[in-house]
Amino acid sequence: MALARAYHFPSLPAEPPCEAPAAEAAPLWLALHFPALALEALGAAGSEPVAVTEPADGRLRVHSASAAAAARGVAPAMALAEAQALCPRLTAVNRDPEAEQRVLSHLAERCLRFTPWISLDFPATLQLEVRGSLRLFGGSARLTEAARQVCAADGYAVQCGLAPTPAAAWLLARAGFSTPVLEAEALRSVLGDLSIAALGIDDKLTGRLARAGLRVLRDLWRMPREGLARRYGRDLLRRLDEVVGSRPQPLRQFHAPPRFRAARELAVETEGLIRVFPLVEALLAEFEAFLRSRDVVAAELELELRHPQVVPTRVCLGLRRPGREARHFAALLRERLDRVALPAPVQGVLLQSAGLQPFTLPMADLFAPEAASGEGWDALLDRLQARLGPQSLRQPMLRADHRPEGTESGNAPRSAEAARSPRPLWLLPRPRRLPGQDIRILPECERIETGWWDGGPVRRDYHVAVDGGGARLWVYRDVGTAGPWHLHGLFG
């Protein structure tokens, strides 16, 4: 024992503190937190009791609850069965993280007006580095209010937090603490009363800390660092250091997807599209160079013809196969513009892109390299659609449904199963009741029934019939009845 008391184990050296940057050059982070993002991304933030659920521990648990559901006791992390017991009218919808990410990306693009440095690394939050924008927007209060209004204008509830570190700004925003904290030295006193759970650590570690009497951040900062790391892990220490800025926190920068937008003004206003189209072709050439330089293709583009004191004429072009050939775009736009009635002379044009996608090489056939890859067919369909209108061409689609209305209605092709049965090529949009019995029913019968799962149940016996003129009809009547015959299709 005496030997053990005499020997002292060397203590681990303390981590060297980071050099504090000058106050004017230090980053300042504005966190825009969206507490109802899961609901708003699904369009479920109305007055009805709605709960967004996600699987956890083998059960469905509440992730977010609407105000009506929360008023009835539904809370996050609650089991769905328990929530439905509290609120019988509760509507449960599955969480959609992709929809939430799309909303955040959209809002990030809108907030690029405040700063080019935005991060989406924090959950349901945009992090904006705004130190360099304070003077331009008249100070932190005005800039924060402007960012809040941009998000609120799109219908999203937002809470703001401003602090020298992104983690501290996130904590302030989640806590609804709107007063900005501009100095890193003030962070410990401002954040000291926040619950440890606000750090985003797992529930088990939060429970262990609570059992040790550690409930708020101030309790952790009073503990010896090495003892805290040894008992609860280095990750907890790292999070605390990131909050107060003694450890840098690398974030990924958000980059808006590339977009093309270019405009040209005519020297003289004109009503003839012949004089306008060379300008359009020049913009399309720039557009093709833009696409090739970024190795992307365009699925949509919009041409705007600007008139003096009149609403611009817009022509939207959607392609069946995304492309980047200016010649192809020009041919399609010419088809559309030939049928456009201009309300006033044109004084300028604007071309902008939408729906850019990464370019991928078309798949070639190894044994028949000269075989058509489908590009020529798609180009022909694009031209037909541009000439006849976007609603003139329809895409045949095959649907797996045993009912004739579901399988062969519209332009849907016949399935192989349907082709084996005696079904006509020409189906009526709706079955028509036959007025009389002047038809001869052939004995072969095909029974089609069920469909209760989508509210369209059927129970019919179909027969081939021949009318007085020799035409072959496809008729049916309800199973087990002697009711009237209905005509559903014609054989040739």
Side-chain angles (χ1 to χ4, degrees), residues 228-375:
L228 203 62
R230 189 167 53 250
R231 293 187 60 182
Y232 302 107
R234 288 278 175 186
D235 183 66
L236 178 62
L237 204 60
R238 176 184 60 81
R239 289 174 184 261
L240 291 173
D241 291 343
E242 289 173 348
V243 169
V244 297
S246 57
R247 178 191 292 266
Q249 183 175 12
L251 299 179
R252 293 170 296 179
Q253 185 176 5
F254 168 78
H255 295 282
R259 284 183 179 174
F260 179 84
R261 181 183 174 90
R264 294 288 186 276
E265 296 292 333
L266 287 167
V268 180
E269 297 177 4
T270 179
E271 295 182 349
L273 288 174
I274 296 178
R275 296 182 179 178
V276 175
F277 212 76
L279 215 57
V280 175
E281 290 178 328
L283 289 177
L284 289 174
E286 291 182 22
F287 185 41
E288 180 179 348
F290 168 86
L291 296 175
R292 291 186 181 279
S293 65
R294 289 161 177 77
D295 203 24
V296 295
V297 291
E300 301 174 12
L301 60 89
E302 178 181 317
L303 178 68
E304 184 176 291
L305 304 179
R306 294 176 172 174
H307 315 288
Q309 301 177 353
V310 179
V311 177
T313 301
R314 291 187 175 85
V315 177
C316 298
L317 204 62
L319 304 177
R320 303 176 65 84
R321 181 192 291 265
R324 56 186 182 186
E325 300 291 338
R327 186 175 55 182
H328 183 52
F329 295 149
L332 299 181
L333 285 175
R334 191 183 293 276
E335 296 282 359
R336 296 288 300 276
L337 291 176
D338 284 345
R339 300 193 321 278
V340 171
L342 298 178
V346 180
Q347 65 177 9
V349 295
L350 167 70
L351 183 70
Q352 55 186 354
S353 66
L356 297 185
Q357 303 174 10
F359 173 71
T360 54
L361 286 171
M363 299 293 291
D365 192 328
L366 177 62
F367 301 102
E370 70 280 0
S373 61
E375 294 182 16

Side-chain angles (χ1 to χ4, degrees), residues 14 33 67 74 77 107 122 170 179 221 241 247 315 362 389 410 426 481:
H33 178 63
V74 179
L107 293 173
F122 284 75
W170 180 63
T179 303
W221 281 319
D241 291 343
R247 178 191 292 266
V315 177
W426 183 5
T481 68

Side-chain angles (χ1 to χ4, degrees), residues 36-44 52 94-107 120 124 156:
L37 180 64
L39 286 162
E40 291 166 343
L42 297 172
V52 178
N94 294 327
R95 188 186 176 199
D96 188 350
E98 293 184 359
E100 296 173 23
Q101 195 64 25
R102 286 196 295 271
V103 171
L104 284 178
S105 298
H106 165 72
L107 293 173
L120 279 61
Y156 298 101

Side-chain angles (χ1 to χ4, degrees), residues 7-96:
Y7 185 83
H8 298 284
F9 289 93
S11 60
L12 294 174
E15 296 181 359
C18 297
E19 185 178 352
E24 290 295 327
L28 186 64
W29 295 91
L30 171 62
L32 303 176
H33 178 63
F34 304 93
L37 180 64
L39 286 162
E40 291 166 343
L42 297 172
S47 58
E48 297 296 321
V50 180
V52 178
T53 61
E54 63 179 357
D57 301 330
R59 306 169 64 182
L60 275 180
R61 293 188 178 276
V62 176
H63 176 273
S64 301
S66 65
R72 291 167 174 79
V74 179
M78 181 180 289
L80 177 59
E82 184 181 356
Q84 289 174 330
L86 290 173
C87 181
R89 293 179 53 245
L90 182 70
T91 301
V93 293
N94 294 327
R95 188 186 176 199
D96 188 350

Side-chain angles (χ1 to χ4, degrees), residues 110-124:
R110 299 209 57 189
C111 289
L112 283 173
R113 67 187 69 181
F114 303 114
T115 174
W117 221 112
I118 298 179
S119 175
L120 279 61
D121 284 354
F122 284 75

